[in-house]
Amino acid sequence: MLGEGIIKGMAETARNFVGSYHDPLRLTTVQFPEEKIPAKENARNFPFLVYDGADAMQGLRCVACQICEKECPPKCIYIVKDAAKKPDYVGKLQFQAKAFDIDVSVCMSCQICVEVCPFEAIKMDTEFELSNSDRFGGLLLDKHQLAKSNEYYHKIHATEATEVDERLAAEKAKVEAKAKADAEAKAKAAAAAASPKPAAPTQPPAK
């Protein structure tokens, strides 16, 4: 029928218009900032650094490998690597970032830093209310401002964070199993070397 598509479109518009007054699924606005719509799990804004444990600085997963700094298209990441290894939150010695800054006024939220990080140390945040009166210093975030817990990561990206934790746990178990096997092999080799060798049989004198 001629004009059937127009009639269907107008009916859908009318349904949305009426529903927007009473149907929560069709509400188009909220009373911001008193009311806020939760961010979608796959939303992203600017990067943050993930840490494990209770101490944000010792627990940072970042080992200052500087891959993200090199791969960042707008060059908004600045890293200074510590000269010596320091203990992390479990006491393991590793290199850490003496300085880790991100200029979010330049960041294009491309997520390349997240994709290239081999340590699952940098992820994308969903926080967007970052406006302030200092257009330069206020948008330059250091590692103390960027550090957020793994629990926070689970809160905003639950599915992704669970997958990351499972993968890190599997990799850790694999490394520990290999280390245990190597230690057992070394112990067996040391025991074999320390055990007395059997005396060589003596040959009777030639006639």
Side-chain angles (χ1 to χ4, degrees):
M1 184 178 72
L2 184 63
E4 182 179 359
I6 296 176
I7 295 172
K8 288 182 178 179
M10 292 179 68
E12 182 65 23
T13 301
R15 186 160 50 248
N16 285 328
F17 174 74
V18 175
S20 66
Y21 284 93
H22 62 84
D23 186 354
L25 296 177
R26 293 179 181 271
L27 293 178
T28 55
T29 61
V30 296
Q31 297 301 314
F32 185 86
E34 290 79 12
E35 299 177 35
K36 297 181 181 180
I37 299 175
K40 302 294 183 181
E41 188 173 347
N42 61 348
R44 71 177 190 238
N45 195 17
F46 297 122
F48 70 95
L49 298 175
V50 184
Y51 72 84
D52 298 301
D55 190 308
M57 293 301 99
Q58 284 191 335
L60 282 177
R61 294 178 180 176
C62 176
V63 297
C65 66
Q66 298 179 296
I67 295 177
C68 59
E69 181 184 32
K70 295 172 184 175
E71 296 295 331
C72 177
K75 303 300 179 187
C76 67
I77 301 177
Y78 174 72
I79 300 173
V80 176
K81 190 175 184 178
D82 259 336
K85 291 183 177 181
K86 295 181 179 179
D88 62 8
Y89 77 108
V90 293
K92 180 181 178 182
L93 290 175
Q94 67 176 18
F95 285 109
Q96 298 176 4
K98 185 176 182 180
F100 194 118
D101 300 334
I102 295 181
D103 187 348
V104 296
S105 69
V106 179
C107 176
M108 54 192 281
S109 303
C110 64
Q111 197 173 275
I112 289 178
C113 55
V114 176
E115 296 171 359
V116 300
C117 179
F119 302 100
E120 306 290 352
I122 187 167
K123 300 296 176 183
M124 300 302 290
D125 207 343
T126 58
E127 185 180 359
F128 59 90
E129 296 177 276
L130 301 174
S131 60
N132 60 74
S133 58
D134 187 354
R135 61 179 294 194
F136 297 109
L139 297 177
L140 180 63
L141 307 181
D142 61 23
K143 67 176 183 177
H144 297 86
Q145 296 166 293
L146 293 168
K148 296 187 178 180
S149 67
N150 191 35
E151 288 74 21
Y152 175 81
Y153 178 36
H154 274 268
K155 182 179 177 181
I156 63 172
H157 299 302
T159 304
E160 179 184 308
T162 301
E163 293 174 355
V164 168
D165 280 357
E166 291 174 352
R167 183 165 62 253
L168 291 176
E171 291 175 358
K172 182 180 178 181
K174 186 177 179 181
V175 170
E176 289 177 349
K178 185 178 184 302
K180 183 179 179 181
D182 291 344
E184 291 176 351
K186 288 181 180 179
K188 288 181 180 178
S195 60
K197 297 181 179 179
T202 56
Q203 295 182 355
K207 295 182 179 178

